[in-house]
Amino acid sequence: MTETRTTAGEPLSWEDLAARARVARERAYAPYSGFLVGAALEADDGRVFTGCNVENASYPVGTCAERVALGHAVVSGARAFSRIAIVTSGAVPAPPCGMCRQALAEFGRKLEVMSIGTNGESIVWPLRDLLPANFSLERMAAPAEAGP
């Protein structure tokens, strides 16, 4: 899916971002779970990157929609993000899985995450609330404690 830009600096509404995620969801490949997911990730510069989940018979090989969108964004040069809309085929809004939370947190915890279920309900979370203690470069770079 190609990246798009918002019109002349005008930010997309949550509804427009969700509409792009719905289009991506329709392209999902989920023959095993039947759980279709689409995501639309908005970069700070206004570009929007979409992704869908891609399952595999070897379950760990599958990829979530959020990480597909993130990979698309990174290969296009985006490194800072403001919002992500997630649309699933489930009735109630579903937050990103733990692996996706960690992947998104790599690029900043200020991200707002909206999920929409087929029942029409939506929930918005700050990523920092979904993953309060992420693993990070700062934690890896912390000096080692002095031993006995």
Side-chain angles (χ1 to χ4, degrees):
M1 296 184 184
T2 59
E3 70 184 70
T4 56
R5 290 189 185 270
T6 57
T7 307
E10 295 179 28
L12 287 175
S13 67
W14 274 116
E15 293 78 19
D16 289 338
L17 201 59
R20 293 177 190 209
R22 278 188 193 87
V23 170
R25 180 188 63 190
E26 297 309 313
R27 297 178 179 165
Y29 178 74
Y32 304 99
S33 71
F35 188 66
L36 307 175
V37 182
L41 178 63
E42 182 180 53
D44 283 354
D45 65 7
R47 290 181 291 169
V48 176
F49 303 90
T50 57
C52 62
N53 58 321
V54 181
E55 294 182 350
N56 190 282
S58 176
Y59 292 116
V61 177
T63 308
C64 298
E66 298 90 335
R67 285 183 286 127
V68 169
L70 181 60
H72 182 197
V74 169
V75 79
S76 298
R79 298 289 188 276
F81 308 99
S82 56
R83 301 181 299 165
I84 187 169
I86 303 160
V87 178
T88 74
S89 60
V92 297
C97 74
M99 190 179 296
C100 288
R101 294 175 195 195
Q102 177 64 45
L104 291 165
E106 180 73 14
F107 296 91
R109 295 176 26 150
K110 68 176 185 157
L111 187 73
E112 289 184 279
V113 178
M114 180 178 69
S115 180
I116 304 167
T118 59
N119 66 2
E121 180 185 356
S122 65
I123 300 175
V124 177
W125 302 276
L127 180 60
R128 68 184 164 276
D129 289 355
L130 291 174
L131 186 65
N134 63 301
F135 188 72
S136 66
L137 181 60
E138 292 80 22
R139 293 181 193 277
M140 291 172 57
E145 291 185 29

